RNA sequence: GGGCGAUUAGCUCAGUUGGUUAGAGUGCCUGCUUGACAUGCAGGAGGUCAGUGGUUCAAGUCCACUAUCGCCCACCA
């Protein structure tokens, strides 16, 4: 490398670390270079496809809502995926991370309707087409916000393959799936009780309803028995539904009521005559043992009604007001009606009593309105047949969950699966591909992927498409293959399906994960991914889930502005516990920022000291490794091995931790400090080979750290890597480090541990004695031959770290008069400090230390006196205890001697 | 009503198949403008591992029960 290049290089790091600057330009560069876009040949024969398939590593992003903006939850999920995909890319895989957004039917429609409301308009004024035009406009304008934020975060997504669930291609897949399932008899239409949101005015699936336990009331109402003065008392939590009662049911074997079965009651307030029937469903022990039957407003009652041939009466309108079938109460809101009904019953003396009662209440996932069980005509998917292969997949471990406990949650839902209500009374979404012939008397239903021009039966041209759209998740569950071009057998589909990993929150296991597995099995014959990693839920310092509505989620963009995207990513992952929730506090981002700064400065130091040496051209044979070099190389190898291993098992925080600890506390704190004297210019004069080695090793390990850190901190690592000597055009695509076996050096690690302990002991003594750091001290060490030899050989290395100017090291060394002392690995270490030592304080310190050791010694001694331990414990454990005992006894003796010496 | 998870330093968490003195980050205390970094360096204090009982030579780790907190599932009106 030339002079000028070298100085240019140095200047790149020659200013303080500024994340905003570092993160401002790389993303565009990466995208322009196409690093995130795996290329396939346009003509792809099967053999080549199979080859590429082996190299492919695919992650499908959980598509965020187009209405969304980045939350801390997204930051965590996206960062985790980016870590994996960047790591796999560096490992040489054909890595695809496919981006996109979800049209989010209800959520988006709500947002746009709110916007219209601000302009004083409603969607009904605009009409269906006009409204949809508004939504698309809105989507064009704001739909890109979250994807821009993903770029800011550094997500290495392939934007050339970006998808939206309402894209033409994905819509085709949706229609195809609907039609196939219909023809297989797995999609059907019918009148059933569904969850109805009176605010959103649509049906919901069971998963879109949240159940909350609330304190409510159980009202006991007296129904007069026709032709008598007597009553039959029923209990209910929703008295307004009595207006739609068509019967009262009792348990068949309930003696109390057996005489009443078949008799007629007069429904209060409605004066309708209804029968008393017997049905197994009724639990005689609950309430009064008599149940009012309202088939149009309760799923159980609906079933009872069907068994007994009772006609349901719908007493409520879709918006939650009472219908014209509700007599005097028509037009009242359901809760006003409830109050009124109770008042009237009370006036009539028909309210027997009221008791408090815990009940679970269903609310709309989107708007929190209390959901109403409501009889209506909807489309459903028969789920049992789809669930079977998906259950097998988990049983046979073709799909594995991380952490594994989520498997149970998945299995429980799968084995208790119920049919999926997929029609929504909305405008924004995939229109159901069903047409009804309007020719008089025809009634033909046409289900097809493309709009028919005439009736298949009567050839009439008057066709009306079903008004409803499909549940948002009906497109999301196809995501892993619809995004790749299915139903066409595209090259992308052949190479990238199935994917490799899914990362998502446990809250959408049912909504999305389970359904994707079912769709994969059904339409591709193969599960969409072998591994599902469920990430932590992000909570605030008080442990509350971070959410928009609570307003307790900080804006990630602001955090990035303050700390940097790298810091945010690193911190989030560093903090996320495997399988537990993440408690996030913005201030913690300092961890990441300070670490980035540390790396920056270490690189600056190394870069400065390299001078005009280009370490990438130096061969191993030109190096002469010292103990320090061998040690850091060995520790580095360990770090590479550990980090890679943690990534493989999705222990992301451990991976981040491993790099952090090694880079900071081994490489910076010890290695760089240890080599400083060697690679200084003076050192180079005396020992040019040694100086070169120190520079090259420092550079190599630094570069290795950058590689390991790159998935976590992409911007910083690219900037620094580009600023130091390197080969290749981007760290993004430079190979992931491999730990060579030969790098592991147990001897070097053991020797360094001894030297480190000694340095720490001396520092410790200095601190206890309140010696200023500038003051140099003499040190006397008495250890065995081997220890003395090691220390003597490396004393120049230790001198600057321990601030020692004069060493006495020998097995025969003696106490130098008045001294502070310590025992390290059996070695006695003295700081001769006549006049400086506070004798009393030092004696007390030694006594305390001896006490502590004595405690351990007692425990060990007791163990070794236990006959059972000696005979039953493993031999090496006993041996270890014996060695420990000897060592402890020696240490105590030495400490005692030191203490006594101070008495004299 | 079922199921799951958590309980280890002031705070947030590690702690593999039981086996040296239970670790890390952060916070706290002390001392340092040591030519990369005060976003730093060095040193230190701080824990009866929620409780009880059991298995074992040996339990933070395995088993049972209890307590507290959190989450999920469930059509008792």
């Amino acid at each position: 490398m030339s002079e000028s290049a070298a100085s240019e290089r140095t200047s790149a790091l020659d200013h303080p670390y500024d994340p905003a600057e570092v993160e401002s330009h790389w993303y565009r560069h990466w995208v322009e270079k196409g690093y995130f876009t795996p290329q396939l040949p346009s003509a792809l024969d099967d053999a080549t496809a199979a080859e590429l398939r082996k190299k492919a590593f695919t992650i499908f992003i959980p598509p965020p809502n187009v209405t969304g903006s980045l939350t801390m939850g997204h930051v965590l999920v996206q960062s985790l995926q980016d870590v994996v995909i960047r790591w796999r890319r560096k490992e040489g895989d054909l890595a695809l991370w496919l981006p996109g957004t979800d049209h989010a039917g209800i959520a988006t429609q709500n947002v746009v309707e709110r916007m219209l409301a601000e302009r004083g308009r409603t969607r009904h004024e605009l009409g269906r087409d006009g409204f949809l035009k508004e939504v698309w406009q809105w989507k064009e304008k704001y739909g890109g916000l979250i994807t821009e934020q993903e770029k800011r975060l550094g997500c290495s997504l392939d934007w050339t393959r970006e998808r939206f669930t309402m894209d033409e291609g994905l819509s085709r897949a949706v229609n195809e799936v609907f039609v196939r399932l219909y023809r297989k008899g797995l999609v059907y239409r019918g009148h059933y009780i569904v969850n109805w949101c009176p605010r959103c005015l649509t049906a919901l699936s069971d998963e879109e309803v949240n159940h909350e336990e609330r304190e409510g009331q159980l009202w006991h109402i007296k129904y007069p028995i026709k032709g008598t003065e007597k009553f039959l008392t029923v209990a209910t939590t929703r008295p307004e539904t009595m207006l739609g009662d068509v019967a009262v049911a009792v348990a068949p074997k309930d003696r109390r009521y057996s005489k009443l079965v078949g008799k007629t009651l007069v429904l209060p307030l409605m004066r309708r005559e209804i029968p008393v029937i017997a049905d197994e469903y009724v639990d005689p022990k609950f309430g009064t043992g008599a149940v009012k039957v309202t088939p149009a407003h309760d799923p159980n009652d609906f079933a009872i009604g069907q068994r007994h041939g009772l006609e349901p009466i719908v007493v409520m309108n879709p918006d939650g007001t009472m219908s014209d079938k509700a007599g005097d109460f028509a037009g009242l809101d359901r809760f006003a009606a409830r109050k009124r009904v109770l008042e009237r019953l009370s006036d009539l003396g028909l309210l027997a009593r009221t008791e408090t009662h815990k009940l679970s209440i269903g609310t709309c996932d989107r708007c929190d309105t209390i959901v109403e069980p409501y009889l209506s005509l909807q489309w459903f998917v028969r789920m049992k047949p789809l669930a079977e292969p998906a259950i097998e997949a988990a049983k046979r471990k073709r799909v594995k969950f991380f952490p594994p406990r989520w498997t149970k949650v998945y299995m429980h839902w799968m084995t208790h699966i119920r049919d999926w209500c997929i029609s929504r009374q909305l405008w924004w979404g995939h229109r159901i591909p069903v047409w009804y012939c309007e020719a008089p008397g025809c009634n033909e239903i046409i289900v097809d992927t493309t709009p028919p021009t005439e009736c298949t039966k009567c050839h009439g041209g008057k066709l009306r498409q079903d008004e409803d759209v499909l549940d948002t998740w009906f497109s999301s569950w196809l995501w892993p293959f619809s995004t790749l071009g299915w139903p066409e057998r595209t090259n992308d589909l052949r190479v990238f399906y199935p994917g490799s990993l899914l990362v998502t929150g446990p809250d959408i296991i049912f909504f999305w994960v389970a359904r994707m597995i079912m769709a994969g099995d059904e339409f591709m014959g193969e599960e969409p991914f072998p591994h599902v990693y469920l990430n932590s839920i992000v909570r605030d310092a008080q442990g509350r889930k971070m959410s928009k509505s609570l307003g307790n989620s900080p804006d990630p963009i602001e955090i990035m502005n303050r700390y940097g995207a790298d810091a945010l990513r690193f911190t989030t992952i560093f903090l996320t516990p495997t399988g537990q929730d993440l408690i996030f506090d913005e201030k913690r981002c300092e961890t990441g920022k300070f670490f980035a700064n540390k790396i920056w400065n270490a690189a600056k130091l190394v870069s400065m000291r390299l001078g005009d040496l280009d370490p990438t051209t130096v061969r191993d044979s030109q190096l002469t490794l010292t103990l320090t070099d061998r040690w850091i190389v060995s520790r580095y190898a360990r770090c590479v091995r550990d980090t890679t291993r943690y990534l493989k098992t999705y222990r992301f925080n451990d991976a981040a931790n491993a790099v952090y600890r090694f880079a900071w506390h081994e490489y910076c704190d010890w290695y760089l400090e240890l080599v400083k004297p060697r690679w200084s210019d003076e050192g180079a004069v005396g020992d040019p080979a040694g100086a070169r080695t120190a520079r090259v090793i420092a550079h190599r390990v630094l570069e290795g750290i950058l590689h390991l850190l790159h998935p976590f901190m992409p911007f910083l690592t690219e900037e620094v890597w580009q600023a130091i000597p390197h080969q290749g055009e981007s760290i993004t695509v430079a190979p992931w480090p491999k730990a060579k076996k030969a790098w592991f050096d147990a001897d070097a690690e053991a020797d360094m541990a001894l030297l480190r302990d000694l340095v720490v002991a001396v520092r410790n003594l200095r601190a206890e004695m309140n010696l200023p750091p500038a003051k140099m001290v003499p040190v006397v060490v008495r250890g065995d031959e081997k220890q003395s030899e090691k220390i003597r050989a490396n004393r120049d290395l230790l001198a600057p770290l321990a601030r020692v100017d004069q060493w006495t090291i020998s097995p025969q060394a003696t106490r130098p008069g008045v001294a502070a002392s310590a025992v390290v690995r059996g070695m006695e270490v003295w700081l001769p400090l006549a006049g400086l030592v506070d004798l009393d304080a030092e004696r007390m310190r030694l006594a305390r230390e001896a006490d502590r050791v004595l405690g351990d010694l007692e425990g060990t001694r007791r163990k070794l006196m236990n006959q059972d331990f000696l005979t039953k414990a493993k031999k090496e454990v006993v041996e270890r205890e014996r060695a420990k005992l000897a060592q402890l006894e020696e240490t105590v003796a030495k400490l005692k001697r030191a203490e006594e010496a101070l008495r004299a």
Side-chain angles (χ1 to χ4, degrees), chain A residues 436-461:
Chain A
Y436 306 96
C437 179
E438 303 226 289
C442 181
N443 293 330
E444 179 67 352
I445 295 176
I446 303 152
V447 179
D448 207 341
T449 52
T450 50
T453 50
E454 58 167 40
C455 174
T456 43
K457 190 167 145 201
C458 73
H459 302 289

Side-chain angles (χ1 to χ4, degrees), chain A residues 420-444:
Chain A
W420 177 15
C421 175
I422 51 169
S423 43
R424 295 290 176 277
Q425 287 64 50
L426 303 171
W427 287 350
W428 177 239
H430 301 94
R431 189 101 177 241
I432 292 181
V434 172
W435 289 263
Y436 306 96
C437 179
E438 303 226 289
C442 181
N443 293 330
E444 179 67 352

